[in-house]
Amino acid sequence: MLTIYNTMTGRKSPFEPMEQGHIKLYVCGITAYDYCHIGHARSVLVFDMIVRYLRFRGYKVTFVRNFTDIDDKIINRANEQDTTPDKLAKRFIEKFHEDMKTLAIVPPDIEPKATEHIPEIIEMIQELINKGIAYRVGNDVYYSVKKIKDYGKLSGRKLDDMKAGARISINKNKKNPFDFTLWKGSKPGEPVWDSPWGPGRPGWHIECSAMSRKYLGDTFDIHGGGKDLIFPHHENEIAQSEGATGKPFVNTWIHHGFVTIKDEKMSKSLGNFFTIREILERYDPEVLRLFMFSSQYRTPVDFSENAMKEASAGLDRFYSCLAEIEQIPGLREPGEQDAASGKEANPVASKKERKKIETISDRFSNAMDNDFNSAQALGHLFDMVKSLNRIRSALPSLPAASDLELLRNGADSLCKLTNIMGILKKNSVSYIKAKKAKVFEESGMDRADIEKMLEQRSAARKQKEWARADEIRNELLAQNIEIKDDALGTTWTVRI
């Protein structure tokens, strides 16, 4: 049973869509005035993972994510860059799509823009005016929050306890400081649309209410976004939509945690602001995905060099496991290996390991059904990889068919389940070869250099110069060349 933490109720509950087998999902998109940062990356990746998983479970998902393409920020930035708001918004929507392609994000089914839905916005505003919930002052229209008795129910805030300030603009035309703008009368040089209240443009909050209603109906299953949108944006969406329709707006609210830098929320003012493009110049997109999904979506995730290195190492473990299995000599159909050897080989997989591999889909799904706990789901996958690696390394020259089948099925399950996270999309053998080549390139060493150092180490060991032998081992390890001594001699591998 899928359970989801609902911000509205403050608890996890079993989830059932309104229409059997069909989930309607709306997520707030970007305001198109700048390049996207890694906070945006978390949002798109979280809901990419959620949509992929819901579809994996067999649901039809109608996924809507909007663009805000008219806003004070867009107008101000356009003026700074001596361009028009529509050209600026169009440019950054294109840049957003480029970033999403690089991140391999599954596109939403519908990507509505605010400026393309002015009639729907005007219609909803007029409904609110007709019901006495909104009022006109000149060419502006405001929503009267005191007309809704449960305003603040999503955020848990009460009007009597709140004070107008940083998040709420002070305006002498409002009847109440917390009344918010539905329609803004035009100012010189700004884009304008005709309306019953004069030329102007929509406020920020109303666009999502109008667009979600058009594509998903008066009431739909899931609305998502970052925690910073809970108040005032999502609170105001509820007020608008429920005020206009008289029906519940959304059944389940999903909000993801922030990306922090050294435990501080990312912001330009603190100088800890990184765009998606800057991050992807340094890291593989799959590394960023694994980093994000290594934490449950509601928790903050702290971005750091070490955290990204850990994610990169984790991704390498996945790919190494797949590459090693794919390169097992004679990985044949069940029964062929034993027939070729002429005798029954003894399996090396224990009952515990076999069960761990055979039940991975169930354990993965149980974790994901628990409010999309990707961190726990990945833990199960890494645990299975340990078993796969142990079995592979213990295979005799003529392995049992049951072991080969187990490894093959385990590798298939790993690829199938990590697809929900959008990782392991590359050819594993090519990926590992490229990583090893990079190690050689960065170290400036080749195979001949390594073999020469191993000969020097062997000579030192024969002379019982243990300190020198250890020194050579450490020099190689510093270049990510790991050596291993056993009864058959010394071997080396590239540690990626």
Side-chain angles (χ1 to χ4, degrees):
M1 170 65 73
L2 175 63
T3 61
I4 301 177
Y5 182 90
N6 187 351
T7 308
M8 181 67 77
T9 63
R11 63 177 182 271
K12 285 189 284 187
S13 305
F15 175 80
E16 288 290 344
M18 297 171 61
E19 178 185 334
Q20 187 174 0
H22 183 195
I23 296 173
K24 296 179 181 180
L25 167 66
Y26 186 95
V27 174
C28 289
I30 64 163
T31 298
Y33 74 104
D34 204 345
Y35 291 103
C36 292
H37 54 68
I38 56 172
H40 296 123
R42 187 173 203 196
S43 184
V44 294
L45 287 171
V46 162
F47 289 102
D48 182 74
M49 176 266 292
I50 287 175
V51 169
R52 285 172 186 256
Y53 182 66
L54 293 174
R55 288 173 176 161
F56 170 80
R57 286 184 99 258
Y59 289 106
K60 174 186 175 183
V61 180
T62 299
F63 176 24
V64 181
R65 185 183 63 219
N66 76 297
F67 286 113
T68 295
D69 60 343
I70 184 63
D71 180 84
D72 288 341
K73 293 177 181 178
I74 295 172
I75 293 170
N76 294 337
R77 184 61 55 85
N79 290 336
E80 291 171 6
Q81 297 187 6
D82 195 25
T83 186
T84 62
D86 61 322
K87 287 181 179 179
L88 183 92
K90 182 180 179 181
R91 174 158 61 94
F92 282 111
I93 287 173
E94 289 174 354
K95 299 303 181 184
F96 173 85
H97 281 140
E98 290 172 5
D99 289 342
M100 296 306 99
K101 185 176 180 179
T102 305
L103 286 172
I105 298 295
V106 175
D109 300 286
I110 305 167
E111 284 188 304
K113 300 181 181 71
T115 59
E116 295 173 352
H117 294 80
I118 300 299
E120 290 84 359
I121 291 170
I122 290 174
E123 180 184 355
M124 181 171 273
I125 293 173
Q126 189 62 59
E127 288 180 67
L128 292 169
I129 291 174
N130 293 344
K131 291 187 175 184
I133 300 173
Y135 58 94
R136 177 181 177 180
V137 178
N139 289 346
D140 298 332
V141 180
Y142 298 100
Y143 186 101
S144 180
V145 293
K146 291 226 170 181
K147 297 288 185 177
I148 297 293
K149 63 180 179 179
D150 54 1
Y151 182 79
K153 63 183 177 181
L154 180 67
S155 60
R157 303 186 184 204
K158 295 182 179 180
L159 278 174
D160 293 341
D161 298 331
M162 291 192 286
K163 295 181 180 180
R167 297 299 298 272
I168 303 297
S169 60
I170 307 298
N171 186 324
K172 63 182 181 180
N173 292 326
K174 296 179 182 181
K175 294 179 181 179
N176 183 296
F178 292 95
D179 291 350
F180 56 90
T181 305
L182 299 174
W183 188 262
K184 294 186 177 184
S186 63
K187 295 179 181 178
E190 290 187 351
V192 296
W193 289 265
D194 290 332
S195 79
W197 321 288
R201 58 187 171 88
W204 176 37
H205 311 298
I206 191 66
E207 65 182 72
C208 287
S209 287
M211 290 188 287
S212 63
R213 183 186 189 183
K214 177 174 181 177
Y215 296 107
L216 301 178
D218 292 341
T219 306
F220 55 93
D221 299 296
I222 300 173
H223 195 318
K227 287 186 177 180
D228 55 326
L229 296 180
I230 294 174
F231 186 87
H233 185 52
H234 288 166
E235 199 73 77
N236 290 350
E237 278 189 63
I238 294 170
Q240 293 164 161
S241 295
E242 296 187 356
T245 68
K247 301 175 184 177
F249 177 38
V250 172
N251 288 337
T252 300
W253 288 87
I254 295 178
H255 292 96
H256 62 81
F258 299 126
V259 176
T260 59
I261 311 288
K262 295 182 180 178
D263 296 322
E264 291 184 305
K265 186 183 175 185
M266 186 180 63
S267 71
K268 288 185 177 179
S269 62
L270 293 174
N272 60 1
F273 180 91
F274 298 101
T275 67
I276 293 175
R277 295 179 173 221
E278 289 170 335
I279 298 301
L280 296 184
E281 286 176 0
R282 299 168 56 197
Y283 301 103
D284 187 292
E286 291 191 7
V287 172
L288 182 60
R289 279 180 170 271
L290 191 58
F291 162 71
M292 292 293 187
F293 299 142
S294 295
S295 299
Q296 204 271 350
Y297 76 88
R298 285 190 291 115
T299 63
V301 57
D302 197 51
F303 180 87
S304 69
E305 190 78 22
N306 285 338
M308 292 298 283
K309 285 182 178 178
E310 288 177 7
S312 181
L315 187 66
D316 290 346
R317 286 200 297 276
F318 279 144
Y319 272 116
S320 293
C321 176
L322 288 177
E324 293 290 350
I325 291 174
E326 287 179 19
Q327 295 178 96
I328 294 174
L331 190 67
R332 301 167 178 166
E333 293 300 317
E336 287 188 14
Q337 182 68 50
D338 290 339
S341 66
K343 62 180 180 179
E344 182 72 25
N346 292 323
V348 299
S350 67
K351 289 183 179 180
K352 183 178 180 180
E353 288 171 327
R354 181 171 294 279
K355 182 178 181 182
K356 186 179 292 184
I357 295 167
E358 291 176 344
T359 62
I360 183 60
S361 291
D362 290 338
R363 290 182 292 117
F364 179 94
S365 294
N366 287 340
M368 292 294 286
D369 279 349
N370 181 19
D371 195 27
F372 310 106
N373 194 334
S374 58
Q376 188 179 57
L378 284 170
H380 290 315
L381 293 177
F382 279 118
D383 196 32
M384 182 185 71
V385 163
K386 289 181 183 178
S387 295
L388 292 172
N389 287 338
R390 210 285 308 172
I391 294 167
R392 179 197 54 76
S393 64
L395 288 179
S397 57
L398 294 173
S402 61
D403 283 338
L404 294 179
E405 182 181 17
L406 188 65
L407 290 171
R408 183 169 51 248
N409 291 342
D412 289 345
S413 294
L414 183 60
C415 291
K416 178 181 178 182
L417 298 175
T418 53
N419 182 61
I420 294 165
M421 311 290 185
I423 60 176
L424 302 193
K425 310 295 285 183
K426 303 178 177 69
N427 178 278
S428 59
V429 175
S430 298
Y431 177 91
I432 295 302
K433 284 182 178 179
K435 292 285 285 192
K436 289 183 177 181
K438 186 176 181 181
V439 170
F440 281 122
E441 180 183 345
E442 291 176 349
S443 68
M445 302 175 68
D446 57 23
R447 294 178 182 274
D449 296 326
I450 295 169
E451 295 295 344
K452 183 177 180 180
M453 291 183 71
L454 290 180
E455 289 174 5
Q456 294 171 356
R457 180 174 178 271
S458 178
R461 283 161 60 88
K462 286 179 181 179
Q463 297 297 321
K464 296 186 178 181
E465 297 175 357
W466 309 117
R468 175 55 183 156
D470 289 342
E471 188 178 79
I472 294 171
R473 174 193 287 274
N474 292 334
E475 288 175 4
L476 288 169
L477 192 58
Q479 300 297 335
N480 290 310
I481 307 299
E482 193 167 21
I483 62 177
K484 181 180 179 181
D485 300 311
D486 57 29
L488 298 176
T490 299
T491 57
W492 60 273
T493 57
V494 178
R495 190 172 70 175
I496 60 174

